[in-house]
Amino acid sequence: MSLATLPVAPPAAEAAALQARQSGSSFYTAMRLMPKAERAAMFAVYAFCRQVDDIADDAARPRPERAAALDAWRADLAALYAGHPADRPFGRAAFLAEAVHRFGLRLADFLAVIDGMAMDVAADIRAPDRATLDLYCDRVASAVGRLSTRIFGMDPAPGEELAHELGRALQLTNILRDLDEDAAIGRLYLPREPLLETGIATTEPQAVIADPRVDLACRPLAAQARAHFAAAERLLRARPRGRLLAPRLMAAVYQALLRDMEAQGWAPPRQRVRLTKRRLLWIVAQRGVLG
């Protein structure tokens, strides 16, 4: 059965499936700390992100078919915002309806996420220039942040700023953490400029990650992530309006991951950095009590 004909899971089933998939992750821990309505909306947004991401990553399907599946999502979202069902019963976007209505989520932000996935579908991203990488980060991460900050109840200006800074910080950290996993599917998100500066001319993912000089190419990206984290932390310390425990927790967890990666380095052979459950709980306790 193709994704285009999958039945729509009701919100409760969608949330249960996500909870089973993400149990023990920093995302799930952060969501558990949110009030019920906000938590349900965040799980709905995350379900949308997972579904379009799965389309982009499904290498078994031809690129035109994946592009068509993303276009079908665009059509379903347009139908949802127009107030009528799509050609499939209620459309696959139906589970987003309550969150969209309750929190005023914007169509443009959902479409931006799809546009980011379309970048992966059009061709495997390999050593993009910095501007292209920043556009990608805005679409696949900061756009999700813009949806999230509305759910958190933030005012527009600080919400947009937090989405920009924290979204990029999280995405750059993920890129640095997932070098080997991305290379295994033919992708390389490290920007071209630091690779060339360290003498790495190739953009072939496996060759790049096998080169000891890749550590030098990763360091500027880590510094950029730290700068975005610092900007996000300054904003959070100003205590803008909203329920901000979840973004505080995500920032703390990912900063810990980034620090561990910087200490370990990115020269091969690498080990994927992980936080133990005890350490994760300690971060939750610190952020929950100290803010």
Side-chain angles (χ1 to χ4, degrees):
M1 181 181 292
S2 70
L3 283 171
T5 57
L6 282 174
V8 176
E14 191 75 38
L18 280 168
Q19 289 176 19
R21 183 172 183 170
Q22 291 297 315
S23 180
S25 70
S26 56
F27 172 85
Y28 180 61
T29 302
M31 294 309 102
R32 286 186 64 185
L33 299 173
M34 298 183 71
K36 184 177 180 180
E38 286 86 345
R39 182 172 67 247
M42 283 300 301
F43 272 117
V45 169
Y46 187 79
F48 160 76
C49 293
R50 285 308 321 168
Q51 289 188 39
V52 294
D53 186 61
D54 286 346
I55 293 171
D57 288 349
D58 188 1
R61 303 174 71 186
R63 292 186 189 275
E65 187 177 330
R66 283 183 278 165
L70 292 177
D71 285 340
W73 260 107
R74 290 187 180 97
D76 282 354
L77 285 165
L80 173 66
Y81 277 83
H84 58 79
D87 56 344
R88 290 173 293 281
F90 306 113
R92 287 170 300 179
F95 67 89
L96 294 167
E98 183 175 352
V100 167
H101 176 74
R102 181 185 289 267
F103 297 103
L105 305 183
R106 296 180 302 192
L107 174 60
D109 294 324
F110 285 111
L111 294 178
V113 176
I114 295 176
D115 289 342
M117 301 304 162
M119 292 173 72
D120 279 318
V121 170
D124 289 326
I125 295 177
R126 296 187 174 186
D129 59 48
R130 286 193 177 102
T132 301
L133 178 61
D134 188 66
L135 175 62
Y136 181 79
C137 289
D138 183 79
R139 288 173 169 176
V140 303
S142 291
V144 180
R146 292 190 288 271
L147 293 166
S148 301
T149 55
R150 285 178 170 260
I151 295 170
F152 299 154
M154 296 185 71
D155 292 325
E160 294 275 331
E161 184 180 354
L162 182 63
H164 175 92
E165 301 293 354
L166 188 55
R168 282 162 168 78
L170 298 178
Q171 187 61 28
L172 294 177
T173 302
N174 275 331
I175 287 170
L176 291 167
R177 191 186 186 198
D178 295 341
L179 286 181
D180 295 284
E181 290 81 356
D182 289 334
I185 57 173
R187 295 175 184 168
L188 177 69
Y189 295 98
L190 293 179
R192 181 179 309 151
E193 292 88 343
L195 289 171
L196 292 174
E197 288 164 6
T198 57
I200 301 176
T202 181
T203 60
E204 200 287 312
Q206 292 293 349
V208 171
I209 67 169
D211 192 316
R213 294 172 295 180
V214 72
D215 179 75
L216 296 175
C218 288
R219 299 285 172 178
L221 206 63
Q224 185 181 346
R226 277 192 279 106
H228 285 301
F229 276 126
E233 289 285 357
R234 286 193 295 271
L235 178 59
L236 290 169
R237 282 197 298 271
R239 298 191 178 276
R241 186 175 72 89
R243 300 181 184 273
L244 301 179
L245 182 57
R248 285 192 177 103
L249 175 57
M250 294 297 290
V253 168
Y254 273 75
Q255 285 184 88
L257 289 169
L258 182 61
R259 285 193 296 270
D260 286 358
M261 284 189 286
E262 288 186 288
Q264 174 182 275
W266 289 273
R270 288 166 295 272
Q271 289 187 338
R272 182 178 173 83
V273 170
R274 302 178 187 276
L275 299 184
T276 65
K277 186 174 182 180
R278 175 177 293 184
R279 191 172 171 197
L280 179 59
L281 290 174
W282 173 246
I283 292 172
V284 172
Q286 280 189 311
R287 286 296 169 127
V289 173
L290 301 178

